[in-house]
Amino acid sequence: MSSAVIAETGDSGPVNRAPCILALDLGTTTGWALRGHDGLITSGTVCFRPRRFDGGGMRYLRFTNWLTEIDRMSGPISAIWFEEVRRHAGTDAAHVYGGLMATLTAWAELRGVPCEGVPVGTIKRHATGKGNAPKHAMIEAARARGFDPVDDNEADAIALLLWAIETKGGLA
């Protein structure tokens, strides 16, 4: 996956369009960062906590609908990067992560969108210089780059997006 700028021709001459890239920190509270076709970066968090009377799969259906809406409003998405977590705080967190990752990869496969995980240490090292940086360091690193994340989930997604752009997906 690369982040080269695509040149298109419009009515008033050439138009530069960057590929739309989505970066995700998957979890009940999912952090996201998106570079739109105009090159602008937006970010935030979205909560997929089950509601009182939800069935077991509703969190994943809401996640699918959210991805589809992001793609419809800002896309088409050219590439998706997600934080690849190998160790979880608990069994429930591992199950939620696995379900979200399965939903994400199936969604991307159906649409032909490249989707790849990046190890946590790689993201932290790129953002802070330290592969085991704590949550507050990731928030500070995002703020140092001009962003104002609400929590570590959003900060991690921003760091992942910047990694993808600046390293051309690890190829630079």
Side-chain angles (χ1 to χ4, degrees), residues 5 14 43 57 59 81 97 108 113 125 141 155 158:
V5 174
S43 63
R59 141 184 2 241
W81 298 91
Y97 176 83
V113 177
R125 192 173 307 105
I158 292 166

Side-chain angles (χ1 to χ4, degrees), residues 9-72:
T9 306
D11 294 339
S12 58
V15 176
N16 286 333
R17 284 178 45 101
C20 182
I21 300 173
L22 179 62
L24 299 169
D25 178 14
L26 298 171
T28 296
T29 301
T30 293
W32 61 273
L34 177 87
R35 182 190 64 189
H37 291 295
D38 56 5
L40 295 177
I41 294 174
T42 54
S43 63
T45 62
V46 59
C47 184
F48 296 110
R49 179 168 283 111
R51 297 180 188 140
R52 184 173 179 191
F53 298 109
D54 280 353
M58 284 306 296
R59 141 184 2 241
Y60 307 109
L61 289 174
R62 274 201 291 281
F63 181 52
T64 299
N65 290 339
W66 179 82
L67 287 168
T68 302
E69 189 67 6
I70 289 285
D71 187 56
R72 188 179 72 78

